[in-house]
Amino acid sequence: MNPDNPVVRLCAEGMAAEAGGDDDAARALYEKAWTAATGDDEACVAAHYLARHQPTPELTLHWNAECLRLADRVGDERVTGFYASLHANLGRCHRDLGDPAAAGEHFRLAAHHLADVPAGPYRDWLRYSIADGLRGTGAVEPSAASAGAEALLRDLCARGDLRSLCLLLPAYYGDTGTADDRRHLAQAARMLHAERRLPAGDQDRLGDVIRLCG
C-alpha cells in the first residue's frame, strides 16, 4: 500500500490512535477513510479497518464481507496479499456467530492464500491465527504427529524449557495440515532430537513425532 495515499494515511492515523488507546478517534478516522475512498481498492482498505470497530459480530461480519467483495472487484496484484487476512477475519466472524462450518471454509481459504503474503513476522502471526482457526473449527484433523508433539510441548511448558519450545512450538502451532507443514514439524523435531539433551523419554517421543511425520 502507498503510504502517501490519503485513504492509507487516514487508516495509518487510525492505527496510531488505536495504539494510543483512543478507539473512538480510530473509528472516526476509518469512517473518514471510507468516505474519502474513490475506488474499490481504497474502499477495500477502509472497510478492512472499519470492521475492527463494530459494536456487534453481525456488523463485523458485514464489513469483512464488504472488504472481500471489494477485493474481488479489484481482482489484481493490489489485493493479492489481502486474501489470507480477509478469509481469516471472516472465519473468526463466523466462529463467533456459531457457524463452525462456514468458519472452517474461510480458514481453509485463508491457508490457501498464505503463500501470497510476504515472508516475515506478519505472515508468521497470520499462519498461527489460521492454524488455530482450522483446529478450533475441526476443518483440519490433527495428525498423529501433531498430537504427539502437543503432549511433549505441554511437558516442555511445565518444565519451562524455553530453548526447546522456541524450536518446536512454531512448527507445531503453525501447522495448517499441509505436507510442507509436516516436513517443517519433522525438521524441527530432528534438530531438537540431534541435540540429545532431553531426558530419554522425551527423546523417544521426539523420535515418534519424526516417524509419524513420514
Side-chain angles (χ1 to χ4, degrees):
M1 292 186 289
N2 179 6
D4 295 324
N5 179 283
V7 170
V8 173
R9 190 163 56 246
L10 284 166
C11 290
E13 291 172 7
M15 287 288 287
E18 277 190 44
D22 194 342
D23 287 349
D24 289 340
R27 182 169 53 253
L29 285 161
Y30 299 148
E31 289 172 352
K32 189 175 179 180
W34 173 257
T35 302
T38 59
D40 290 336
D41 57 331
E42 292 179 349
C44 178
V45 172
H48 166 73
Y49 286 100
L50 270 173
R52 296 162 63 96
H53 288 281
Q54 296 303 315
T56 68
E58 290 81 5
L59 282 171
T60 302
L61 175 62
H62 164 78
W63 281 105
N64 279 309
E66 179 69 3
C67 188
L68 179 61
R69 183 187 70 82
L70 289 162
D72 286 342
R73 284 179 59 172
V74 175
D76 60 27
E77 69 281 355
R78 288 174 293 174
V79 296
T80 300
F82 293 178
Y83 279 97
S85 176
L86 292 179
H87 284 293
N89 289 339
L90 284 162
R92 286 189 288 271
C93 288
H94 284 292
R95 184 176 57 187
D96 291 344
L97 289 167
D99 190 347
E105 179 59 25
H106 279 292
F107 284 124
R108 279 191 290 268
L109 289 167
H112 174 74
H113 287 287
L114 259 175
D116 296 325
V117 181
Y122 174 72
R123 186 170 74 181
D124 293 340
W125 170 85
L126 189 55
R127 173 182 290 279
Y128 301 145
S129 178
I130 292 167
D132 183 65
L134 289 168
R135 288 189 293 267
T137 58
V140 168
E141 288 293 327
S143 66
S146 288
E150 181 179 4
L152 176 57
L153 283 163
R154 291 186 185 280
D155 289 345
L156 294 172
C157 285
R159 295 204 303 267
D161 186 348
L162 300 182
R163 181 176 167 186
S164 298
L165 287 168
C166 74
L167 180 61
L168 194 59
L169 187 57
Y172 162 77
Y173 205 79
D175 184 359
T176 61
T178 68
D180 281 346
D181 289 339
R182 286 194 298 276
R183 284 191 288 271
H184 187 199
L185 179 58
Q187 181 183 35
R190 287 192 190 97
M191 291 172 66
L192 185 55
H193 191 274
E195 290 188 350
R196 298 189 179 280
R197 61 179 182 78
L198 296 182
D202 289 348
Q203 286 289 115
D204 291 342
R205 287 197 284 175
L206 274 172
D208 290 339
V209 170
I210 295 166
R211 285 190 291 274
L212 289 167
C213 284

